[in-house]
Amino acid sequence: MEAAGPEPRAAARLKAPPTPEEERERRRARRRPRRRIEEEQEEAVFHDVVSFTPDPLPGRYYDKDTTKPVSFYFSSLEELLAWTPGMEDSFNVALEPSECRQPPLSSERPRTLLCHDMMGGYLDDKFIQGAAAHNPYCFYHWQSIDIFVYFSHHTVTIPPVGWTNAAHRHGVCVLGTFITEWKEGGRLCEAFLAGDERSYQAVADQLVLIAQFFRFDGWLINIENSLSLAAVGNMPHFLRYLTARLHEQVPRGLVLWYDSVVSSGQLKWQDELNQHNRVFFDSCDGFFTNYNWREEHLERMLGQAGQRRADVYVGVDVFARGKVVGGQFDTYKSLELIRKHGFSAALFAPGWVYECLEKKDFFQNQDKFWALLERYLPTHSICSLPFVTSFCLGMGTRRVRYGQEEAEGPWYHPSAQEIQPLFAEHRLEGAGRGWVKTHCCLADAWNGGSSLLVRGLIPREQDHVAVRLFSLQVPVPPQIFLSLVYKLEGASNVGVALELTTGDAGSCHVGSISTLNETSSRHSPRPLRVPPTKLARWVHRCSQQLRGGWVQRCYKVNLRDCLLRDLFVSFARPPGSREEESFVCRLGEVQVVDAKSLLAPLPRVQAVTVSHVRWQQATPEEEGSPARLRLGCTLHWSYLLSPIRCFRIHCCAGTDGGALGGGPSGPEQPALLGLAFVNQYRIVDLVVAAAGPSGDGRVEFLVEPVPKEGFLVPRAEWGRAALLYSMPRTDGAL
């Protein structure tokens, strides 16, 4: 693999062919391209000679059948201690740390932990760049939980990055699992715990490094085997060292201990915090109890926990295995007792609704499960701008962008899940029949694979109904812009609008809006008719009928010393109507953006490189059709990730006989290959035309940044790289 300079192609062909050893060495090396300027854009041009005997890719990081990047785990202490970060590891790095949230995890409010244990783990979710999965498991009630644990029975379970990205977007902490089991687990524990402090500190240092590098938040420690007196004696020291080091390196890091081993070294589940396991609780951030407890266990724990009740996570097995309280659709019975005594809750395997019930009813069953728990699950609030969501679940039966279908067929990409609302059913108080209910829907989308479906009824005695979508605690800048994209189904003609509430009405000054009720802090912004010129690329669709029947409304609000509390969507009866009004509305996007951020320039994607090229013969589509190849390669680029929602990766392929680095032949438009959430992307099985004897084949790759604010970035600011490829020269060729 080499970067081509600006010399004419004819001159390049006169060079002597490399020896086999030189060719192999060149293909291994990753080289920076020499730059040439074309159409006022930087484009790196690489050249490769097609070979069907590529160097193998590291098996841990790539699926052996497809070479797609995958999330991974460690099965032994040796693998853990030998690991050092490399380029392939970067695929699995989360886009950013957890979003700001209120209340913070450190508050004394009881928390909710979700422990995700599903069929051994690393299923379709292991594919970092997504998979064509039919009916995958999807979690979206993020506002109701505080901590997400990815659990498997591998020694070191590193959470797949899709889960970390989705959780962090909602302000939820993510933990991996360190587990030892059975006789092999006992031998492993002896190896690092029974000796001096250097052994257990080395393991702890690696666990901290892994969490820091991959940007998740800590570990659940689960020792399910007996320990020798030497090993159990060192366990509190290991936990204290791990916890202290994690707090130093990972903001808001957590280490939790699972109720299994007691201080004597026996494996003896207690189903409570007591004098036999208190030493482990005192050595880390929290304690996750076993599941076979009764209310008397909770009562006894009050004295043991003291002021740290919120750090005791009472385990609830949703599968209802053993002698447990509640479980399945009766899980609310467990939560009622746990909250009565002021403890946190740890819901183990709520994927029960997916594993054990009908897949076709998954969304209804999941909503039912979480609705039954709603009164026991305090929500947390998002506290940063920009706040943008298309309600995409990170999956779909097709892919849509701004109302236009981009691709058909099922897809699943957890990193692409956007901020999810508070799913709820709201009924008006009193004798009226008014109600509003929200649920996710894959049938249509504005951007991504799904939208939020809102159904409701406006009773005769009311002018409107509203439902709260998001809980926020955002210190608001002086001027914000809001946007709502929606579509009414059927013949309904109700009015649709955003409403917001602000905190501390005594000091908060709100201008340029009309107030619904002078005694409240709930406001209805006026639609923005003529946006400022500099903001046109964000609001160019405002008040227009869009593709597929969608409508966008934009708002401007001037504020001073305000805290944005809640975001509602309201539905008002049409003027003159006095009858009951039922409606079905699909929400495609909501945005709350600091006006100042829209004026800040975005950097250009730079330094796009192509490496790790692999070639295969493509199966002919039909007899006599042109020869084709299947291309695999890795793109890497330079870009600051903090302002980014994701990157969209495109290609233009063809056989071009023009100047080196010239544009693709013909009117071909870029084809979307996929989404990236880090500065690299693995292209797999891209079918391209085989290079002919008289010219190089050519494929161009384009990296489009998608800002959090949601506007389209001009193509001049995209990153570009071209790959020129040729067949091996035969004997006697110049």
Side-chain angles (χ1 to χ4, degrees):
M1 187 71 214
E2 65 175 351
E7 63 267 26
R9 183 177 304 165
R13 287 178 181 156
L14 293 176
K15 293 179 180 178
T19 66
E21 290 77 12
E22 290 172 337
E23 180 62 30
R24 281 195 295 270
E25 180 60 30
R26 286 199 310 179
R27 291 178 59 78
R28 286 192 195 99
R30 295 180 63 243
R31 299 185 181 176
R32 290 290 181 185
R34 285 175 282 169
R35 301 290 183 188
R36 62 173 295 159
I37 304 300
E38 177 192 326
E39 298 175 356
E40 299 183 352
Q41 299 180 51
E42 287 190 349
E43 181 178 76
V45 182
F46 295 79
H47 187 277
D48 193 61
V49 177
V50 174
S51 169
F52 300 114
T53 56
D55 294 330
L57 293 168
R60 174 185 292 163
Y61 302 102
Y62 299 95
D63 180 63
K64 61 183 177 59
D65 297 322
T66 65
T67 75
K68 292 180 178 179
V70 292
S71 296
F72 61 92
Y73 50 83
F74 297 127
S75 298
S76 68
L77 200 61
E78 292 74 21
E79 288 182 350
L80 169 65
L81 294 174
W83 177 81
T84 56
M87 192 192 82
E88 275 81 9
D89 291 291
S90 299
F91 283 111
N92 208 41
V93 174
L95 179 60
E96 58 188 321
S98 181
E99 285 286 350
C100 170
R101 51 162 287 165
Q102 287 292 339
L105 205 60
S106 58
S107 74
E108 295 182 2
R109 187 182 79 170
R111 307 168 198 121
T112 304
L113 179 152
L114 186 157
C115 192
H116 176 69
D117 174 36
M118 182 170 286
M119 296 180 282
Y122 299 96
L123 306 173
D124 292 320
D125 56 1
K126 74 178 180 181
F127 291 100
I128 295 171
Q129 296 175 179
H134 293 266
N135 302 317
Y137 174 70
C138 175
F139 178 73
Y140 45 88
H141 290 84
W142 293 104
Q143 305 299 344
S144 298
I145 72 169
D146 303 288
I147 302 168
F148 177 90
V149 178
Y150 194 85
F151 182 88
S152 82
H153 290 275
H154 302 289
T155 303
V156 180
T157 296
I158 301 171
V161 66
W163 285 107
T164 307
N165 280 332
H168 280 181
R169 205 164 283 133
H170 294 84
V172 172
C173 171
V174 177
L175 306 185
T177 306
F178 179 76
I179 186 171
T180 63
E181 300 175 281
W182 315 110
K183 289 184 178 180
E184 179 58 34
R187 287 192 289 269
L188 187 151
C189 288
E190 290 299 305
F192 83 95
L193 284 171
D196 61 25
E197 65 180 16
R198 289 174 296 179
S199 297
Y200 67 72
Q201 287 180 358
V203 171
D205 287 339
Q206 282 295 90
L207 293 176
V208 171
L209 177 61
I210 289 169
Q212 181 185 24
F213 181 83
F214 292 114
R215 291 186 176 177
F216 62 95
D217 306 291
W219 296 97
L220 171 66
I221 307 299
N222 186 5
I223 307 299
E224 302 223 33
N225 48 260
S226 297
L227 297 175
S228 68
L229 288 177
V232 77
N234 272 333
M235 181 60 78
H237 300 297
F238 166 69
L239 289 174
R240 281 193 289 270
Y241 181 82
L242 172 63
T243 303
R245 293 282 294 127
L246 187 76
H247 290 177
E248 290 172 6
Q249 301 299 323
V250 178
R252 299 179 293 278
L254 278 180
V255 176
L256 304 183
W257 172 265
Y258 177 66
D259 167 20
S260 50
V261 171
V262 294
S263 57
S264 67
Q266 290 179 284
L267 176 61
K268 196 172 183 180
W269 298 272
Q270 300 294 291
D271 302 305
E272 65 176 321
L273 174 68
N274 59 29
Q275 70 274 19
H276 300 299
N277 51 35
R278 174 68 187 264
V279 63
F280 307 118
F281 175 58
D282 291 339
S283 302
C284 65
D285 295 308
F287 184 89
F288 183 149
T289 78
N290 194 46
Y291 312 105
N292 296 304
W293 50 267
R294 291 289 183 267
E295 187 169 10
E296 53 264 33
H297 292 85
L298 304 182
E299 292 168 349
R300 286 197 298 265
M301 283 199 297
L302 292 173
Q304 289 287 339
Q307 299 299 311
R308 293 184 64 195
R309 270 188 282 179
D311 294 334
V312 177
Y313 299 82
V314 180
V316 179
D317 183 0
V318 176
F319 275 73
R321 293 162 289 203
K323 297 179 181 180
V324 301
V325 176
Q328 302 184 5
F329 284 127
D330 288 334
T331 297
Y332 69 92
K333 296 177 181 179
S334 304
L335 267 292
E336 183 179 21
L337 290 177
I338 293 168
R339 298 308 194 207
K340 173 183 173 182
H341 294 282
F343 293 112
S344 293
L347 301 175
F348 184 78
W352 166 81
V353 297
Y354 178 85
E355 290 191 56
C356 297
L357 305 179
E358 289 286 341
K359 298 291 191 293
K360 64 181 179 63
D361 300 323
F362 165 64
F363 289 106
Q364 297 92 313
N365 287 326
Q366 175 146 275
D367 290 345
K368 175 183 176 181
F369 177 85
W370 289 94
L372 288 168
L373 305 182
E374 182 181 356
R375 63 181 296 190
Y376 307 111
L377 301 179
T379 60
H380 60 269
S381 304
I382 297 170
C383 58
S384 60
L385 294 181
F387 175 82
V388 179
T389 181
S390 68
F391 305 99
C392 178
L393 292 171
M395 59 176 291
T397 57
R398 60 191 184 123
R399 193 185 293 274
V400 179
R401 192 183 199 203
Y402 301 133
Q404 183 171 359
E405 183 176 285
E406 282 191 313
E408 292 186 58
W411 63 278
Y412 174 62
H413 199 327
S415 285
Q417 186 182 100
E418 304 219 336
I419 298 174
Q420 297 300 304
L422 298 165
F423 292 93
E425 181 173 357
H426 172 65
R427 292 191 174 272
L428 298 181
E429 296 179 0
R433 297 176 55 241
W435 58 274
V436 192
K437 186 174 182 180
T438 60
H439 55 92
C440 52
C441 183
L442 302 177
D444 200 358
W446 164 248
N447 194 26
S450 57
S451 56
L452 184 69
L453 200 62
V454 186
R455 302 177 184 271
L457 177 74
I458 306 173
R460 290 187 182 92
E461 60 272 19
Q462 297 286 338
D463 291 328
H464 80 287
V465 294
V467 64
R468 185 173 70 143
L469 296 179
F470 299 101
S471 172
L472 308 170
Q473 283 206 47
V474 180
V476 185
Q479 187 175 84
I480 59 173
F481 288 92
L482 298 90
S483 168
L484 171 67
V485 176
Y486 69 92
K487 174 172 31 176
L488 287 168
E489 303 284 334
S492 177
N493 195 31
V494 299
V496 184
L498 282 178
E499 293 181 1
L500 55 89
T501 64
T502 55
D504 195 358
S507 63
C508 173
H509 175 76
V510 182
S512 301
I513 67 171
S514 58
T515 304
L516 292 178
N517 186 330
E518 292 183 0
T519 62
S520 75
S521 301
R522 186 156 151 185
H523 314 285
S524 177
R526 294 190 183 103
L528 185 64
R529 301 296 182 187
V530 183
T533 304
K534 288 186 178 180
L535 305 181
R537 62 178 177 174
W538 183 72
V539 293
H540 68 280
R541 299 183 299 263
C542 291
S543 302
Q544 294 183 17
Q545 191 75 24
L546 308 173
R547 294 188 187 101
W550 296 93
V551 175
Q552 183 175 19
R553 295 279 183 258
C554 302
Y555 309 87
K556 179 177 72 172
V557 182
N558 294 314
L559 303 145
R560 187 171 70 246
D561 300 327
C562 294
L563 191 69
L564 184 60
R565 290 282 193 189
D566 300 287
L567 209 56
F568 292 76
V569 61
S570 71
F571 302 89
R573 66 170 62 257
S577 169
R578 304 311 317 165
E579 299 299 315
E580 287 186 343
E581 290 283 345
S582 62
F583 60 88
V584 178
C585 181
R586 197 175 297 279
L587 302 186
E589 189 173 67
V590 170
Q591 301 187 64
V592 184
V593 177
D594 179 359
K596 187 176 180 180
S597 73
L598 294 175
L599 302 178
L602 281 173
R604 177 180 295 175
V605 177
Q606 295 181 330
V608 183
T609 62
V610 183
S611 63
H612 296 86
V613 176
R614 295 168 64 91
W615 297 98
Q616 290 178 289
Q617 295 279 9
T619 303
E621 296 179 0
E622 58 186 38
E623 189 174 349
S625 61
R628 302 178 76 79
L629 302 171
R630 284 191 293 149
L631 167 64
C633 61
T634 298
L635 302 182
H636 190 277
W637 57 91
S638 176
Y639 199 87
L640 182 66
L641 293 176
S642 57
I644 283 299
R645 208 169 175 181
C646 68
F647 298 95
R648 289 163 52 87
I649 312 303
H650 310 263
C651 78
C652 295
T655 52
D656 178 37
L660 185 66
S665 59
E668 183 181 9
Q669 293 298 311
L672 178 68
L673 298 178
L675 305 180
F677 294 83
V678 289
N679 283 335
Q680 61 187 42
Y681 185 83
R682 179 71 189 171
I683 291 161
V684 176
D685 287 341
L686 177 64
V687 178
V688 297
S694 60
D696 291 340
R698 184 184 192 281
V699 58
E700 182 180 31
F701 300 109
L702 303 149
V703 180
E704 175 191 2
V706 180
K708 289 180 178 178
E709 291 84 359
F711 54 76
L712 294 173
V713 173
R715 192 179 296 185
E717 297 172 21
W718 298 8
R720 298 173 60 183
L723 175 65
L724 302 183
Y725 54 95
S726 57
M727 302 305 292
R729 296 175 177 83
T730 59
D731 292 340
L734 289 179

